[in-house]
Amino acid sequence: MERIYLDHGATTPLAREVLEEMMPYLTEKFGNPSSIHAFGREARKAIEDAREKVAKAINASDPGEIVFTGGGTEADNLAIKGIARAYKHKGNHIITSAVEHHAVLDACLALQKEGFEVTVLPVDEYGMVSVEDVKKAITDKTILITIMHANNEVGTIQPIAEIGEIAREKGIYFHTDAVQTVGKIPVDVKELKVDLLSLSAHKIYGPKGVGALYVRKGLKLEPLANGGGQERKRRPGTENVAGIVGLGKAIELAVAEMPEESARLTKLRDKLIKGVLDKIPYVRLNGHPTKRLPHNANFSVEFVEGESMLLMLDMKGIAASSGSACTSGSLDPSHVLLAMGIPHEVAHGSLRLTLGKANTEEQIDYVLEVLPGIVERLREMSPLYNQKILGGE
């Protein structure tokens, strides 16, 4: 049985070219980048080359604006806590949205315990933040706005440039979590008017455990940890040289392949969405119909338990998810879907299919062949379905 991976929103396989670039730094080029001898200089050069690649990929003015981290979660925490603590003398108010990744929401929650005030903005039925709501939420105490570039669960792309414009006008720092967008759609820190931007390697065929934070020149940032002077004293600790090299190569490849791959994935995504909506009754597409990531399709399947659907798909060789992999241990329905106004019982039946490089049209055909039967079988076991639909209500 062919195994079909449709969970690229959770992670992606390591690209062969990325592994090849990393290998020397896992073996013979093992120097500590802080050492002044040849071994150290070799490692330092590799890090600075990767920094240049990341800066170029997001159109940062200076490679020095890139801080390497242990992943997207750390980058989000460093941005939010680092700015809030560095500028608390200017104000104590932070604005975010109800559909952020938990790395952002929980960082804001932690800051509330330190005396910061947090406004969590609602979203519309598509998971979109209103620019007007952002404007209204601003007070003279607002120091930071943090809104994700695109949602990891439903794929909705937020109006970041418009929010950035408002933040600039008001002199408020603006952070965006771009973990799901870098390498998938164009990301330009100047066009988006952001001061801070988080990204991660393992969403773009790079290694796990490495990410980066763009910090616009001139911004103060309080580090999360204390220790050495690495990353211009913003992220102490000996650098993960091989991981950083991998991120540099992965982002370079992703940006180069983006125009072609994005168009290909959009076509596959649209075929998948149309097929699911045509073949299965009582299903809704979650997220914006057009302003969405090219590789993301998210559905609410009524009268079905999401986990049962995933297990049955897995038995047919199809790997999917019901939302964020970071909360898969939780029995609660997605906070994103609930924020979009989807009822609790419908949110439980969510299915996220996220496409990637290896996916083909034939694989999409197979999913469309298998999924309706799975849903039908699960609905036959649903008392709610029998009562509401078969009972004629």
Side-chain angles (χ1 to χ4, degrees), residues 12-55:
T12 56
L14 187 68
R16 183 181 44 79
E17 305 94 316
V18 173
L19 178 62
E20 282 170 8
E21 196 102 347
M22 290 170 69
M23 277 308 282
Y25 299 93
L26 291 164
T27 51
E28 70 270 13
K29 297 183 179 182
F30 56 83
N32 185 321
S34 298
S35 301
I36 61 168
H37 49 62
F39 289 87
R41 292 198 306 273
E42 187 174 52
R44 168 60 48 208
K45 185 181 183 309
I47 288 176
E48 297 315 319
D49 287 350
R51 205 184 302 279
E52 281 182 23
K53 287 175 184 175
V54 174

Side-chain angles (χ1 to χ4, degrees), residues 111-361:
L111 286 170
Q112 276 185 320
K113 292 172 186 164
E114 295 179 26
F116 288 89
E117 284 178 25
V118 179
T119 297
V120 180
L121 298 175
V123 292
D124 67 12
E125 62 187 297
Y126 301 125
M128 186 84 77
V129 172
S130 152
V131 176
E132 209 47 50
D133 282 353
V134 175
K135 213 180 275 186
K136 283 180 194 160
I138 293 169
T139 73
D140 57 355
K141 296 271 194 294
T142 309
I143 52 168
L144 177 68
I145 299 169
T146 174
I147 306 283
M148 68 195 338
H149 193 188
N151 188 264
N152 51 306
E153 292 188 30
V154 300
T156 297
I157 300 167
Q158 302 290 356
I160 295 301
E162 292 92 316
I163 297 168
E165 188 75 56
I166 293 162
R168 283 273 157 97
E169 275 171 28
K170 304 277 186 184
I172 298 162
Y173 300 115
F174 183 33
H175 165 251
T176 192
D177 175 344
V179 165
Q180 290 288 338
T181 54
V182 165
K184 311 284 195 321
I185 60 173
V187 173
D188 181 323
V189 293
K190 295 189 181 81
E191 277 181 22
L192 295 174
K193 298 179 175 65
V194 292
D195 300 300
L196 305 110
L197 179 144
S198 310
L199 60 93
S200 176
H202 79 104
K203 308 291 189 188
I204 51 170
Y205 306 91
K208 293 170 185 65
V210 62
L213 177 66
Y214 158 78
V215 184
R216 191 164 61 84
K217 215 174 192 168
L219 262 68
K220 279 192 295 180
L221 202 63
E222 194 167 300
L224 295 174
N226 304 106
Q230 292 90 344
E231 295 301 292
R232 300 189 176 192
K233 297 186 177 176
R234 294 175 292 192
R235 206 272 185 172
T238 302
E239 300 92 336
N240 171 9
V241 182
I244 289 167
V245 166
L247 168 55
K249 185 64 176 176
I251 204 166
E252 184 179 54
L253 288 172
V255 171
E257 294 164 4
M258 192 199 306
E260 201 177 313
E261 185 61 3
S262 177
R264 189 187 78 86
L265 290 178
T266 301
K267 198 176 155 199
L268 286 184
R269 176 203 72 188
D270 291 347
K271 177 185 173 117
L272 179 62
I273 290 170
K274 186 179 185 308
V276 169
L277 297 179
D278 286 352
K279 286 171 181 269
I280 308 170
Y282 309 108
V283 172
R284 62 162 276 171
L285 175 70
N286 295 320
H288 199 281
T290 54
K291 293 173 187 167
R292 70 184 301 128
L293 291 168
H295 69 301
N296 175 294
N298 185 303
F299 307 95
S300 280
V301 185
E302 286 193 62
F303 315 113
V304 164
E305 177 56 57
E307 200 161 310
S308 308
M309 195 163 34
L310 295 184
L311 291 170
M312 288 180 85
L313 280 167
D314 194 34
M315 285 161 73
K316 294 283 188 182
I318 300 162
S321 73
S322 60
S324 171
C326 304
T327 54
S328 62
S330 165
L331 294 173
D332 295 328
S334 154
H335 71 286
V336 173
L337 299 181
L338 295 179
M340 288 161 59
I342 294 168
H344 207 279
E345 66 279 8
V346 178
H348 260 302
S350 67
L351 175 67
R352 181 184 73 165
L353 302 168
T354 41
L355 312 169
K357 280 189 200 180
N359 296 135
T360 63
E361 204 161 335

Side-chain angles (χ1 to χ4, degrees), residues 343-385:
H344 207 279
E345 66 279 8
V346 178
H348 260 302
S350 67
L351 175 67
R352 181 184 73 165
L353 302 168
T354 41
L355 312 169
K357 280 189 200 180
N359 296 135
T360 63
E361 204 161 335
E362 291 71 32
Q363 290 181 342
I364 301 304
D365 288 335
Y366 176 67
V367 173
L368 293 174
E369 191 186 304
V370 165
L371 186 59
I374 288 174
V375 172
E376 199 179 324
R377 275 200 300 285
L378 289 170
R379 280 177 176 167
E380 282 166 6
M381 296 184 267
S382 162
L384 202 60
Y385 181 71

